[in-house]
Amino acid sequence: MKTEQPILITTISSSAEIEKNLFIGFDGNLCAEGAKSFGISNTSASIAEQLPVCVSGIALVLAGAPITAGDAVEADSNAKAITLDSGELNGYALDTANEADELIRILLK
């Protein structure tokens, strides 16, 4: 079982239907592809609800593609973690994902 080690969880007003373990943008919506994230959703939320977001520490996120432990990660078009290419650094993978939709730990940056 993978565990989180949040240092700071804060809330943001959700601008969309949000699922748990996805990158969240500074606008309360899902993080755009390649954008800097506010953090990772700590639960699911409906529009206009207060969404808890892990903004510092180690958080669980869904992988959008295979990732190797140690890889720098960014957000893909579905707000999932992928290996950093040309986007903003959002953290470092602490686990390997063999395929999309695997839950991995990342050290947020």
Side-chain angles (χ1 to χ4, degrees):
M1 170 185 250
K2 295 180 175 96
T3 59
E4 297 177 286
Q5 294 174 318
I7 293 172
L8 178 61
I9 294 178
T10 190
T11 59
I12 191 169
S13 182
S14 177
S15 299
E17 294 286 326
I18 304 288
E19 296 297 320
K20 185 176 180 179
N21 303 120
L22 296 173
F23 285 115
I24 303 301
F26 288 87
D27 60 358
N29 208 334
L30 293 173
C31 186
E33 181 177 3
K36 181 67 180 162
S37 74
F38 179 59
I40 296 176
S41 55
N42 197 254
T43 189
S44 298
S46 297
I47 296 173
E49 284 187 337
Q50 289 298 301
L51 173 67
V53 178
C54 182
V55 297
S56 180
I58 297 172
L60 295 171
V61 67
L62 289 170
I67 296 174
T68 301
D71 284 353
V73 298
E74 65 177 289
D76 73 2
S77 61
N78 295 309
K80 297 177 182 180
I82 58 171
T83 301
L84 183 67
D85 182 26
S86 60
E88 296 286 331
L89 173 67
N90 285 322
Y92 295 93
L94 299 179
D95 301 303
T96 295
N98 295 312
E99 60 189 6
D101 295 321
E102 284 188 36
L103 205 56
I104 61 168
R105 296 172 300 151
I106 67 163
L107 175 61
L108 291 166
K109 291 293 175 189

